[in-house]
Amino acid sequence: MVTSSQLSSTFAAMLMKIRSIVSNLLTSVLMLVSGSRAKQTLVTTGTSPPKTHSKEEKKISDSQLTTPSSVNYHFTRQCNYKCGFCFHTAKTSFVLPIDEAKKGLRLLKEAGMEKINFSGGEPFVHQRGDFLGLLVKYCKEDLKLPSVSIVSNGSLIKETWFQKYGDYLDILAISCDSFDEETNKAIGRSQGRKSHLDNLHKVRNWCREYKVAFKINSVVNTFNVEEDMSERISVLNPVRWKVFQCLLIEGENAGENSLREAEKFVISDQQFQDFLDRHKSIKCLVPESNQKMKDSYLILDEYMRFLDCREGRKDPSKSILDVGVEEAIKFSGFDEKMFRIRGGKYVWSKAEMKLDW
């Protein structure tokens, strides 16, 4: 006769076996989904490069390696605006010496770079834009890149900059999230009494005069999600209107060590789609949801390290100045397929745009 004690023991053993099977299945599934990526916390304080990961699990497999055809170089984190959702914040004041920056840009060109985009921070902050201008000229005149572009808030740009460097620049993108001045102020896209919209129109006119393709970047968030920008965008007539969904990045605009708290700016996927539907008549609109944006950019930080955003934060590679482009790019997290899906490859040279200046 089987006692109740024996039944309990047998039942417990069966439960343990079932739990073991389930645990193994879950582990296998998680490994398939995550690719067994190793986690690492990014620390970005001080002027020396923080410790970077070296675990083999973070590498992209050789079959996934790609040439860095389009690179975004955030050479400074400093900015004169305080946008609440900023995902590349002023955690350091470090900027490479210009000779080192040029060396890295040449390495990228030799590795296959066709387009460089300079960003920040605000790229016109450092040396009043002359550092940026010299890099722009170097990339076009010496490296002969097909496309050189800049993303700026527009507040610090002077006409004299266009006079010195405009010939070497293909595209200038100005960030503008609203055509209501109070909304821009609420977002943090302002400085003192300066009018962000006045600067926007001024820069747009200079782009036309000095033959630089004009682009607008907008981040859709809780403050502007109901706005209809169609008429104003049509008047400005940019070559592209890049529309981003507000994105959270741990350590930048979310989490314990971040300099921003962007949670209050976050919108749902449906709200983002509603915004896009409202502006579907705008032919130059290029939408980028969180899914499209997160892994489809090759981002180079102020130390010339690729930043891997696959884990919802920015995990840095080693600097291309130390290990070369081929090795560093293995840790970039770059999704080339998504890059193409989001329209990352387009006519990006002003010589080929055939614009009516």
Side-chain angles (χ1 to χ4, degrees):
M1 178 147 181
V2 180
T3 66
S4 58
S5 174
Q6 290 173 319
L7 283 172
S8 297
S9 178
T10 302
F11 184 67
M14 289 175 64
L15 277 177
M16 288 182 67
K17 189 172 183 179
I18 291 170
R19 285 174 181 170
S20 176
I21 293 171
V22 171
S23 177
N24 288 335
L25 283 171
L26 285 173
T27 300
S28 299
V29 170
L30 287 171
M31 287 178 69
L32 286 170
V33 172
S34 67
S36 301
R37 297 182 196 135
K39 291 186 177 180
Q40 180 197 17
T41 302
L42 171 61
V43 180
T44 53
T45 55
T47 58
S48 297
K51 184 179 179 180
T52 60
H53 53 60
S54 58
K55 292 185 179 180
E56 197 67 23
E57 290 85 352
K58 287 294 289 183
K59 276 191 178 183
I60 302 173
S61 68
D62 290 341
S63 63
Q64 291 177 289
L65 292 181
T66 185
T67 55
S69 59
S70 177
V71 177
N72 297 272
Y73 178 25
H74 296 250
F75 67 84
T76 179
R77 284 178 171 267
Q78 298 301 299
C79 187
N80 59 321
Y81 278 9
K82 295 182 179 179
C83 301
F85 48 69
C86 179
F87 55 84
H88 200 74
T89 54
K91 307 197 84 171
T92 78
S93 59
F94 180 81
V95 177
L96 277 172
I98 195 163
D99 288 343
E100 289 292 288
K102 286 181 177 180
K103 178 183 175 182
L105 291 167
R106 181 169 290 280
L107 290 174
L108 289 164
K109 167 65 188 303
E110 291 169 353
M113 180 175 67
E114 300 174 28
K115 180 181 186 293
I116 183 70
N117 180 56
F118 294 103
S119 188
E122 169 49 48
F124 282 87
V125 164
H126 190 59
Q127 297 179 2
R128 298 182 177 181
D130 277 332
F131 182 90
L132 171 64
L134 291 171
L135 291 183
V136 166
K137 182 178 180 180
Y138 175 75
C139 286
K140 182 59 73 171
E141 195 171 61
D142 292 72
L143 299 184
K144 302 189 184 309
L145 292 183
S147 183
V148 181
S149 66
I150 297 170
V151 174
S152 167
N153 62 40
S155 65
L156 301 175
I157 304 176
K158 307 295 183 185
E159 186 176 8
T160 52
W161 192 94
F162 279 94
Q163 293 168 348
K164 289 175 68 176
Y165 305 112
D167 286 346
Y168 311 107
L169 183 64
D170 290 277
I171 304 169
L172 176 58
I174 301 297
S175 300
C176 181
D177 307 312
S178 175
F179 289 95
D180 180 278
E181 207 71 81
E182 294 305 312
T183 301
N184 284 319
K185 289 178 181 178
I187 288 171
R189 202 174 283 287
S190 64
Q191 182 185 30
R193 295 181 179 180
K194 291 182 180 180
S195 167
H196 184 70
L197 297 177
D198 285 350
N199 286 329
L200 175 70
H201 285 275
K202 188 164 53 178
V203 172
R204 202 283 169 259
N205 290 333
W206 286 335
C207 283
R208 186 180 289 113
E209 182 177 353
Y210 293 97
K211 295 181 171 53
V212 174
F214 178 72
K215 177 182 170 185
I216 295 176
N217 287 356
S218 300
V219 178
V220 184
N221 60 86
T222 53
F223 287 82
N224 66 359
V225 69
E226 300 298 332
E227 189 172 341
D228 189 339
M229 306 182 188
S230 302
E231 184 177 347
R232 306 295 290 273
I233 293 292
S234 297
V235 169
L236 287 163
N237 192 29
V239 293
R240 282 162 75 88
W241 179 30
K242 189 76 75 69
V243 177
F244 302 96
Q245 183 180 1
C246 182
L247 177 68
L248 295 181
I249 297 289
E250 182 185 340
E252 297 283 357
N253 62 12
E256 188 176 340
N257 298 315
S258 65
L259 296 183
R260 298 285 190 276
E261 295 179 358
E263 287 84 356
K264 68 178 182 180
F265 292 91
V266 174
I267 59 171
S268 67
D269 292 345
Q270 186 58 56
Q271 286 177 300
F272 183 64
Q273 186 59 52
D274 290 345
F275 183 93
L276 298 179
D277 291 343
R278 193 180 312 123
H279 297 88
K280 61 185 178 182
S281 64
I282 306 298
K283 302 302 182 185
C284 64
L285 191 157
V286 180
E288 288 197 14
S289 63
N290 288 170
Q291 181 186 10
K292 285 183 178 180
M293 182 181 177
K294 188 164 63 74
D295 304 326
S296 64
Y297 284 85
L298 275 174
I299 301 174
L300 208 63
D301 74 359
E302 64 272 26
Y303 302 105
M304 286 198 154
R305 304 174 303 178
F306 287 111
L307 299 180
D308 181 353
C309 298
R310 287 177 294 181
E311 300 289 347
R313 59 178 183 266
K314 292 180 176 178
D315 291 335
S317 70
K318 292 181 179 179
S319 175
I320 65 171
L321 296 171
D322 295 328
V323 299
V325 176
E326 184 177 350
E327 178 63 23
I329 206 171
K330 295 175 184 178
F331 299 91
S332 67
F334 180 61
D335 185 340
E336 186 176 11
K337 182 179 179 181
M338 188 58 75
F339 167 75
R340 297 189 180 278
I341 289 174
R342 71 166 174 81
K345 179 74 173 178
Y346 59 97
V347 178
W348 51 33
S349 170
K350 66 182 179 182
E352 298 178 3
M353 291 181 189
K354 299 178 182 178
L355 298 174
D356 183 9
W357 302 107

